[in-house]
Amino acid sequence: MSWVYYGKLFDSKFQAGCLAARIREDWWMNEYRSPRFVGIYQTKSGRYGVKYLW
C-alpha cells in the first residue's frame, strides 16, 4: 500500500480539510471504495495538501 497525494496544494488548512472530508464522505455516492485513512499534510513552504491510503 502506498499514499496517494491529491495534485493540488491549498493556502489554508481549512480548504484542505474540506477536500479531505469530501473524500471521506462522498465515496459512497460514486460507488468507490472508501479510503482507509485520509490525512492533511503541510509542505515546507507552508501550504497544505491531502493524502489518502487505500
Side-chain angles (χ1 to χ4, degrees), residues 1-5 33 35-37 51-54:
M1 287 187 282
S2 62
W3 289 103
V4 177
Y5 290 86
R33 291 185 311 149
R36 292 182 182 183
F37 179 79
K51 62 183 180 178
Y52 50 95
L53 185 65
W54 288 111

Side-chain angles (χ1 to χ4, degrees), residues 27-43:
W27 63 269
W28 61 272
M29 290 176 41
N30 297 320
E31 298 179 8
Y32 296 118
R33 291 185 311 149
S34 174
R36 292 182 182 183
F37 179 79
V38 179
I40 299 170
Y41 66 95
Q42 186 174 13
T43 63

Side-chain angles (χ1 to χ4, degrees), residues 11-28:
D11 294 326
S12 71
K13 192 173 185 179
F14 175 76
Q15 291 172 318
C18 289
L19 177 63
R22 185 171 179 151
I23 290 172
R24 276 187 218 109
E25 302 299 327
D26 282 354
W27 63 269
W28 61 272

